[in-house]
Structures are given as C-alpha cells and as structure tokens.
Amino acid sequence: MIRGKVIRTVLIMALSCISLFSNAQVKVDYNVVPLPQTIEEEVGRGFVVDAKSRIVNRESGNVMMQRNAEFLAGYIEENAGIELTVKSGKKSKGSILLKLGLQHENSEAYKIEVSNNSLVVTGASEAGVFYGIQTLRKAIPVKPVSEIDFPAVTIKDEPRFSYRGMMLDVGRHMFPVDEVKTFIDMLALHNINNFHWHLTEDQGWRIEIKAYPKLTEVGSQRKETVIGRNSGRYDGKPYGGFYTQKEIREIVDYAAKRYINVIPEIDMPGHMMGALASYPEMGCTGGPYEVRTKWGIADEVLCVGNDQTLEFVKNVLNEVMDLFPSEFIHIGGDECPKTRWEECPKCQARIKDLGLKDDEAHTAEEKLQSYFISYAEKIINERGRRMIGWDEILEGGLAPNASVMSWRGMSGGIQAAKMGHDVVMTPNSHVYFDHYQSTDIARDPLAIGGYSPVERVYALEPVPEELTEEESKHILGAQANLWTEYIPVFEHAQFMVLPRMAALCEVQWMQPEQKNYEDFLSRLIPLIEIYKTNNYNYAKHIFDIDAEIVPNPEDETIDIYLDALTDGEIFYTLNGTAPVKHSPVYDEVIKIDEDAQIKAVTYFDGEKSRVFSEDITFNKATTKPIEALQPVDAGYKFEGISTLVDGLRGNSNYRTGRWIAFRGNDLEAVIDLKEKTTIKEAGLSSYVLKGDWIFDMRSFTVQISNDGKTFETVAQKNYEQLGQSDSNGIRNHILRFDPIETRYVKIIAKTEKEMPEWHGGAGKPGYLFVDEIILN
C-alpha cells in the first residue's frame, strides 16, 4: 500500500512535536494506540499538571485502586520527569482523581473527563480505571517538562473483545523471571489482558511439579540444540531450566496486579518428549526417550491406553490449577501423530473397550484423542475451570465444554463457533510473531518462515463474515503467538513482537469500522518513544521504504512506486550500486523496461533507513496480459495470476506474495504475447516444503496458439511423486523445443492430488507454489 504526502506530513509534524518541546509545558495528544472509542473536545481550559499536583484515589481502602494511582504516578515520572504525590480521599479539585462507579455493561470500560480544575478517570471496575490510566500514559509525550497540559475533553472507551491474548513459548527457549515480567509489562502497555504461557514441550519441561520431580530433574534439560532449521548440526551445549512454583506464583501475582490473567499450557498428548524422557512408562513403547534436540513433531506421544498415564495427567493438571487461578487451562492438543497409537496394544485395547470405530469423518485413533481431551476437560471442569486447546482438539469430535484456539487459519474456529463453542482466533496467516516481518529475509534474524508484517497483523478481522450474529458471540477475541525455536534471547523476542503487538492491540480493542492503518502509523510514532524509554528492542521495519511493484501490460513496463513513513527524500539507483544523497531522487513512479537492480534509501533526522533492494528481470512473458483458466488458491492468491509475469522472483519464504498456490486443481494460464513472437524455451519455478504440504508439480506442459482458442502442445514433461528423502527448496523447471512463432502460450502445471503414504497428510491434495513464468 502506498501512503500519500498528506499522511507523511502529519507524521513529520508528530515527530517534530516530540523533538522540539523545551523543558516547559507540553500538551498531550489523546490519539493513542489503541485509539479510544470516542474523544469529545470540551469548551474551556484544560487541566495542567505540575509538581504541585497530586493523584487522588477516591476509593479509600481499595488496594487495587491505590496500586492504580501508584502506576499512574510512575508513568508520569517515567515520561515527563514530574514526581506526583499519591493520596486517598474525596478531594478532587486541582487533582487527578481515580474512582469507580461507571455504569457500564463492560467491566473494562472507562471514562476520562478533563476540565479546568480536575482530571477524572472513572472505571466500571478497577481494570477499567487501569486502561484509562494507560490511555493517559500514552497521551503524554516522552519529554522532561515542568508542566503537562491536558486539553479539556471527555473520552469514553471500552474494548471490543473480552479476550485479548499474547502467547509466549518457553519450551524451546526460556527467559528469566525478570524478563517474563518485562513481557507482562509490554502486554499491559498494549491493553492485553491474557498471557498465554506455553510451559511444556518436546524440547523442555519448564514448570515444577512436586508430584513428579523428574519432570524438571530430567525433562527440563536437553543435551544440545540443533543449529538452524534442523540442519543435522548441533551446538554441543546443554540447555535447560525451569520455573519453580515460587517463581510461578510471583509471576502470576505480578500479572494480576496489571489485570492480566496467566493461562498455563501443558501441551498434551503430543509434544510430550520432556515428560516421556522423565517417565518413559507414560509412552507407548516404554522408551528409552530423550528430550528432543531438534524442532518439529515427534511420533512419541502419551500412551492413552495406559491408566498410569491418565493418572499422571490428572495429578499434573490439578497441581497446575493450584498454581494458576485462571479460568482457562490450556491443554494444547495439537500436532499429535497417531502412529504409536495405531501400533500400541494398550491404545488399541482402549479403543476396543470404548467401542471406537473408523467412520467417514474420523479414524478410531482420532476418536481416541477426543476421548483423551474429554478426560482432561472433566478434570479441569471439576475444579470450576474451562479447558481450551488448539484447533486439533476438533479431531474425533469436540469435548462437551471445550473452547478452541484456532491457529491453522480460521476454519477450525468457524467450525467450533457453529457448534456453539467459544473461540479465540489466532490464525498463523496473520498473528504468528515468529514469522518474518520483511520480504528481505537475508537481513532479518533467522525465523521459522512465513511473512506477517505489521500491516498484515493490523488487517486481521477475528469475526468471519460467514458466522451469524448468534454464532459471532462465540468469538471471544484474538491472540498472537511467539514460538521460540529460533529466538534464544529476550532481546530477540522483543524484536519479534514490537511493534506488531501495537497492531494486534487495535485488532483486539477497537471496533473494525474505526480502524485505519495509515492513521495507526501516525499514532504509533509516540508509542515507539515509550518503547525507547523502557529500552524495548523493537523492530524498525515500518521505517523501511515501502515499494509497490506492478506489471504494466499497456506500457510493457514494470512500474515502481516508493514511499516511506517519514517525509525525507528517497534516493535510488537502478544498476545495483548503493544509493547516496546525490543519487536520483524518486518522484511519482519509476518505469522499468529492462533488467535492473533497484536500490533505494531515505533519511530522517540524520538516520538512514535500511537499503531497499530488488532484482527485476525481463523475459518475453514479463508484463504481458495473463489469464488464469483455473482458480488460484484463495489462501495464497496475493496479487493473483499477474504475479507470474511481474519480473520478480520468489525466495525461500513462500508467504511473501511472490509465490501463488494451487491445490486440488492445476495451474492453467494463457499469456498473450500481443503479437507473434518466436520462442524456444519455457520455464516455471516451484517451491517445495513437504512438511507444510507443499509438493512439486507432477507435470509441466507448454501449448501454443495464434487465435487463443485452439492450442497445440510443443513440450511436456512428467515428474515422479516426491519421496520422503527428496530435498525442499526452489526448483526451476525448463522445457526446450524447436523455435516456433506464436502469439498465445498456455502453461499447465499439474498439482499433487494425493500426497504419499509416508506423509502426515497422506491421501489429501498437496499445494503447488509457483512463480515466474519464463519465455525465451
């Protein structure tokens, strides 16, 4: 998306305000992140805060309200350097007054009223007051001053969703208690009220369970860690650690003081190698097992046919519930292979005893998983709690009262909502913060893959259109997830979630009709100043040059539009050399009609942006009109079929929009060369990532025509089905033939209709990801 001059002017003014204020008075801006629902300017003078002002807690004896007042005093001192006195009582004149009593059906609602002699924050609950305080905190510019001018205003606000979550995985890599507390502080800044804590994994068990001491003695330690993406090379360094029950209580209390629920996740029956290494009798084979040293999914899972295993689950969950007062208890339920259950005599005996049988919808083993999930749910319900799990808990039938966290897109959430179950939307298409934030993955830290920039996070709409009004009530909210396979230190974790967390919080808090991405970016600038004050290591991708590269069939050019968040001039080159301040200055559009390597850079306040770089290559198909005869997969359509003739080549990240996908049908597209043209070669690239169900083409065909109706085949090649040991990555397919003159060229690439038996998705259609069509 290209942003206009008006938006950039607004941003430059906002940034200038931050940098130009002297140590006198500063005026607040109530347009914060997330934007309050209504901001009504009032007639008259506002309220000025200086060192003589005080914060009054109207609710004497209310510990939570007193803490709220102390939070506000701390924030004002942190931002503006003014130290205020906190008192309890009824006197409000000349004070910032915090009180309860707002009559509102939403307990997290608040109202801020500013007049010439007072500033009053009224909440429907203590949490509502806290969120009003967060708005004030973010409205105050970060600048040491002697006075703060709060303009006269009435603000009314409430969150859209009751569940606003963020998940942190500490199974793969864990973080010390102080860093977990900092993470919680980050959530509070963004009005997030649920901290989903992923505590157990194949790679490490991180929670002390006194009934099973080996879980931390053995299961919390792995002997080494794979280097990169399961490269086969290991670092040779032992890795481990866990949180004691004392530390867990400390973190739960710290979060509660900031109105954040801590939801523990004990992932089962899969992702249990940490537990199995500790207690091998809980597995189907009896081991030996070891804490997993590489990433991915293990076949080894809990033995559901073993009564001892079920007792283990009961005891662990009860001890977890003793530590965590949260309403929801997360039991995972994801990525549980059924291989061992199919072979295990105990599991098969359990299946027989329960009378479970295969049917058209589910295998008996999938129904066994449903039995296990229902068993865990009963334990949780007996304690007055609610169970939630990843959308795989739908397999075999959903437990009676279960809630679903939909991560594999939104289809699982839709299915659950239609069945009357509560849902939290956390689709990996938008809010997996372990994904890359840029298409320039070579310059970003190693990530799991994917592509979820700030703009894509902001675009998430958690309530699908296909749900009825009644079904929509089951969408409790949205959550983002940070998986930590490739995130060994906390500074990296901060880099991955900020400022994407800011986009997430507007999805969670604001009504969809109020959201505006361009406006959000202008409001994000002051929030970043708070990041800096707190030494949060945020990603700076939003300051990168924004490029829109469009094939122009009419002019037969690639048209490039550049923009930047700041208002500085953009300098560029087309020959691959580094742009400097005497390079050409961008203006409106760059039109390319031959091979080029464009590089561009901008400056603001003396700082240089990252250099934007893109290779553009031409062949006889580039920019030509192209028509898809079969539909592109809706989930990976991006810019559509024209992606195949846009002069850009896809890299090893298939989610960047440079690849498009087909599934269940074939790529079949016709290119109009606009006049008779001699060709002797056709090429098409595919991307293979078998673990993500992405397979290679099974055949590649080139046909030609001079009338666009009757085609004849000039080249065709079939390919063997991929084997388990075949490599992943980019594959370049080329067909050569005798030179021939033609106007129309049809490209056909057949997809994998049934994935092989060795694959987890055996029998189902695979994806075919394709990129640039080459004609020469």
Side-chain angles (χ1 to χ4, degrees), residues 493-668:
Q494 290 181 315
F495 175 87
M496 297 302 281
V497 302
L498 300 177
R500 289 191 281 194
M501 194 183 286
L504 171 71
C505 83
E506 295 223 337
V507 170
Q508 295 171 329
W509 188 274
M510 294 170 60
Q511 296 297 326
E513 62 272 12
Q514 284 188 296
K515 287 171 54 189
N516 181 290
Y517 183 66
E518 310 302 343
D519 183 59
F520 161 75
L521 289 175
S522 69
R523 291 180 284 106
L524 180 58
I525 299 295
L527 182 61
I528 285 175
E529 293 301 312
I530 295 180
Y531 294 171
K532 293 177 182 177
T533 297
N534 287 279
N535 295 315
Y536 296 160
N537 183 37
Y538 67 97
K540 299 176 176 63
H541 297 87
I542 61 166
F543 296 106
D544 288 353
I545 288 172
D546 188 11
E548 187 175 358
I549 303 175
V550 184
N552 184 337
E554 184 175 342
D555 294 348
E556 297 189 8
T557 59
I558 298 294
D559 295 348
I560 303 175
Y561 301 89
L562 302 177
D563 195 19
L565 184 60
T566 58
D567 203 34
E569 292 181 312
I570 297 174
F571 303 91
Y572 73 93
T573 61
L574 296 177
N575 59 4
T577 59
V580 292
K581 288 189 175 181
H582 60 258
S583 299
V585 178
Y586 168 77
D587 183 27
E588 294 188 353
V589 64
I590 302 170
K591 300 181 81 68
I592 306 293
D593 60 5
E594 61 182 359
D595 290 359
Q597 184 182 29
I598 181 171
K599 291 191 174 185
V601 71
T602 189
Y603 298 83
F604 183 77
D605 278 356
E607 282 198 41
K608 180 181 178 182
S609 72
R610 294 200 309 177
V611 176
F612 166 79
S613 181
E614 192 67 71
D615 291 328
I616 297 172
T617 58
F618 274 73
N619 65 81
K620 292 179 180 180
T622 307
T623 77
K624 298 301 190 298
I626 182 170
E627 178 187 5
L629 303 184
Q630 296 195 43
V632 182
D633 182 81
Y636 300 98
K637 187 176 182 180
F638 301 110
E639 298 302 318
I641 199 68
S642 64
T643 303
L644 302 184
V645 293
D646 64 3
L648 305 171
R649 302 301 297 269
N651 59 22
S652 58
N653 187 345
Y654 66 87
R655 295 179 182 269
T656 61
R658 297 294 167 79
W659 300 91
I660 58 173
F662 295 82
R663 184 175 186 235
N665 62 319
D666 301 319
L667 160 64
E668 187 175 3

Side-chain angles (χ1 to χ4, degrees), residues 465 494 634 712:
E465 291 182 355
Q494 290 181 315
E712 63 173 304

